[in-house]
Amino acid sequence: MDNSICQVYEDKIQSLEEEIKLLTEKYEDYQQESTFYSDEEILMSKKSFQREFWRPSQGYEYLPDLRDQLESLEMDLSFIMKFTGIHFTSHFKKTVEKTRNRTVWKHRLSGNCHSLSFQVEFQLLEVQNKENVSVVVSDLSVLMSCGGDSYVSKFVSSIEEHGNLLQFFRSLSSYAEWYEHRRCTFLHFKAKYPNFVALPEGLLGHYIILRNPKPSGFELMVVWKIHIDEEGRITPLLDLLTKVPEQVLAWKMAAIENAPTGFRSMLLLFGIEAAIENLIKVVSLGK
């Protein structure tokens, strides 16, 4: 056979081999992404299943309480999701490196917690020895729908720097709960007092404007920020700012200057909702 023809066939064979190799790698990645478990874990689960449900004479037999166990697990999972408010909507998993006792996975998780959405990406190193398994999180990256908040930005930077994934989810639940509480409070007062309440940044903003519809120019701004420190501790911060026309300021200077202090006292005595409602009632008196 002519050498040129042989070379053509050899090139074709090599091209097919490379394509087969590429498709095989893609298939293996797909298999890994479609499950949360390693091959060893699947094999162990399979053996456990066979030990529990295999009867030599009858084949597989489901134990009477298996359905109850599954229902109990579903109830526990539902309780945890309701308790934390965290719901995962998607998960991506890919094997980056795998040896006999060392595996590196890349994960991407998306979900929401109350009215906040989030996405986390990280690498998980699992090293297995004879006695135990050690796990290390690295290359952590966090995106949140409220990422423009300066407090959140500092917290996320600290979490990413230290790779503290567990701390992120613990703090996320508490922060999102306050975030949702603020949103619902603003919505409540906007619906109850539409003529006196304004939300320039919408329900997800961090302040609410209380104004009298009369052309007096008198306004109160309730600022409600949610502070989260680098350790993940959550603290609601509320304050009052005033906007008063000069003619009013001239004869009510002392009352206006003391308004923020009085508001903070009401917060301690009555709570957030009652303090804001008292302010709205004061504003509405000038109508």
Side-chain angles (χ1 to χ4, degrees):
M1 184 179 290
D2 189 86
N3 289 336
S4 61
I5 297 177
C6 289
Q7 185 63 44
V8 170
Y9 281 114
E10 288 177 0
D11 292 343
K12 185 66 174 177
I13 291 172
Q14 184 178 358
S15 176
L16 289 172
E17 288 176 344
E18 291 176 353
E19 185 175 354
I20 291 171
K21 182 180 178 182
L22 179 62
L23 291 173
T24 301
E25 291 175 350
K26 288 184 176 180
Y27 174 77
E28 290 175 351
D29 287 342
Y30 175 79
Q31 291 292 91
Q32 292 159 356
E33 294 164 12
S34 63
T35 178
F36 284 94
Y37 304 101
S38 65
D39 295 337
E40 291 82 5
E41 290 171 323
I42 293 174
L43 183 59
M44 290 176 62
S45 297
K46 183 178 179 180
K47 290 180 179 179
S48 176
F49 178 86
Q50 290 174 338
R51 285 197 302 269
E52 291 193 32
F53 304 122
W54 174 258
R55 302 291 183 271
S57 60
Q58 301 176 7
Y60 286 107
E61 176 183 292
Y62 290 96
L63 298 179
D65 63 341
L66 179 59
R67 184 183 297 275
D68 293 337
Q69 293 177 16
L70 290 174
E71 290 178 353
S72 177
L73 289 173
E74 289 176 353
M75 290 176 63
D76 290 343
L77 178 60
S78 177
F79 170 78
I80 291 173
M81 293 174 68
K82 290 179 180 179
F83 182 74
T84 63
I86 298 175
H87 297 260
F88 293 107
T89 56
S90 67
H91 171 251
F92 168 85
K93 178 182 177 182
K94 180 179 180 180
T95 302
V96 177
E97 175 188 340
K98 189 170 186 179
T99 61
R100 183 179 178 182
N101 61 348
R102 170 190 170 97
T103 305
V104 179
W105 286 292
K106 182 178 180 64
H107 291 269
R108 182 170 64 244
L109 287 167
S110 298
N112 53 70
C113 186
H114 297 293
S115 55
L116 282 179
S117 59
F118 65 88
Q119 178 178 291
V120 293
E121 293 187 14
F122 58 94
Q123 285 197 165
L124 196 66
L125 168 63
E126 183 180 293
V127 179
Q128 186 169 7
N129 54 42
K130 294 181 180 179
E131 297 181 355
N132 53 32
V133 177
S134 62
V135 177
V136 178
V137 175
S138 63
D139 297 338
L140 178 60
S141 175
V142 177
L143 294 175
M144 293 178 63
S145 57
C146 60
D149 187 295
S150 60
Y151 297 132
V152 173
S153 298
K154 291 179 181 179
F155 168 70
V156 167
S157 296
S158 176
I159 287 293
E160 291 176 339
E161 180 181 354
H162 296 94
N164 199 335
L165 186 63
L166 181 59
Q167 181 63 63
F168 167 73
F169 283 113
R170 284 175 176 168
S171 301
L172 172 66
S173 179
S174 180
Y175 181 89
E177 187 175 348
W178 273 106
Y179 191 89
E180 178 69 7
H181 179 44
R182 181 178 64 184
R183 187 190 72 83
C184 292
T185 302
F186 286 176
L187 176 62
H188 166 73
F189 286 124
K190 180 60 179 175
K192 188 174 181 179
Y193 302 101
N195 295 328
F196 300 101
V197 173
L199 298 169
E201 293 185 347
L203 292 174
L204 301 183
H206 66 273
Y207 67 91
I208 183 173
I209 298 292
L210 313 178
R211 63 164 63 103
N212 193 299
K214 285 187 175 182
S216 64
F218 178 74
E219 289 184 359
L220 298 178
M221 176 189 290
V222 178
V223 180
W224 184 349
K225 294 187 176 182
I226 306 170
H227 180 266
I228 177 170
D229 63 19
E230 294 183 358
E231 301 298 323
R233 292 183 289 263
I234 313 296
T235 307
L237 302 176
L238 286 92
D239 206 353
L240 180 67
L241 303 178
T242 61
K243 178 183 177 182
V244 185
E246 292 184 2
Q247 63 271 24
V248 177
L249 190 61
W251 57 278
K252 288 191 176 181
M253 174 67 76
I256 298 303
E257 289 180 345
N258 293 329
T261 303
F263 176 64
R264 287 190 285 271
S265 297
M266 284 196 297
L267 288 172
L268 294 174
L269 291 172
F270 307 117
I272 295 174
E273 291 81 0
I276 294 177
E277 185 145 21
N278 283 332
L279 287 178
I280 297 174
K281 292 177 178 178
V282 170
V283 171
S284 65
L285 290 177
K287 184 174 179 181

